[in-house]
Amino acid sequence: RKEVEQDPGPFNVPEGATVAFNCTYSNSASQSFFWYRQDCRKEPKLLMSVYSSGNEDGRFTAQLNRASQYISLLIRDSKLSDSATYLCVVNGNTGRRALTFGSGTRLQVQP
Amino acid sequence: EPEVTQTPSHQVTQMGQEVILRCVPISNHLYFYWYRQILGQKVEFLVSFYNNEISEKSEIFDDQFSVERPDGSNFTLKIRSTKLEDSAMYFCASSDDLVGDEQYFGPGTRLTVT
């Protein structure tokens, strides 16, 4: 089983649509969870951390289900500028900082 | 907004040559990292560095690789004898000293080994 598994997409959605991405992780001892976005041939940029209580940042909402080892990201009112690859990222066991990346889900927002 | 910087943006080298990739982490950060991304593949952890020593490393980070903090601002990755399969984008990242905190990535160095 892959450590962090994501649907590669692509997700092609019209502007204004709501889109959701999911991710599962295999290491139940993982402590920290993130969504990063990556534009073509650029660095990963932190989008948001993901907390057990769920968290929202503007149009973006992230949820974590530790029991199911499942993370989600919801994007509301999609913009053309949201087109990117969204990376689900977890760190390892307690005290370890190495990040494990999923392969990413590609989003293409169309006019 | 503070950011991680990396030089050079692109390095071309011949197989067997040594390369040094340079990074300037965010100034108040204490943890430094190197990751790599082979074209079309996922980002992979190489090494983390804290308090002037390696704190974690992956299986990829073998004896060919070394890291150094030569002064108060730079953080370097050296590859001693490059191989074709070392061709990748190398990202430096940094974070502060809170467990589980957020890592911020530099723009990367594209290494091409011919």
Side-chain angles (χ1 to χ4, degrees), chain B residues 31-90:
Chain B
Y31 281 85
F32 315 121
Y33 312 85
W34 285 101
Y35 291 82
R36 80 170 185 192
Q37 186 174 30
I38 295 169
L39 188 63
Q41 298 186 24
K42 62 182 182 178
V43 178
E44 300 174 289
F45 169 76
L46 293 178
V47 66
S48 64
F49 191 85
Y50 173 74
N51 200 24
N52 283 318
E53 59 183 28
I54 290 172
S55 49
E56 287 176 78
K57 61 181 182 178
S58 71
E59 289 176 357
I60 303 168
F61 193 87
D62 61 21
D63 292 344
Q64 289 269 78
F65 293 89
S66 61
V67 289
E68 193 178 29
R69 177 102 160 132
D71 54 44
S73 59
N74 290 284
F75 178 52
T76 62
L77 174 70
K78 183 193 290 187
I79 309 175
R80 259 180 275 285
S81 177
T82 49
K83 303 190 276 283
L84 292 176
E85 54 264 37
D86 294 327
S87 295
M89 187 74 117
Y90 288 81

Side-chain angles (χ1 to χ4, degrees), chain A residues 32 36 38 43 49 97-99, chain B residues 37 56 100-103 106:
Chain A
S32 300
Y36 281 74
Q38 186 174 33
E43 76 272 25
S49 300
R97 293 173 173 266
L99 295 180
Chain B
Q37 186 174 30
E56 287 176 78
D101 65 337
E102 297 159 348
Q103 295 181 22

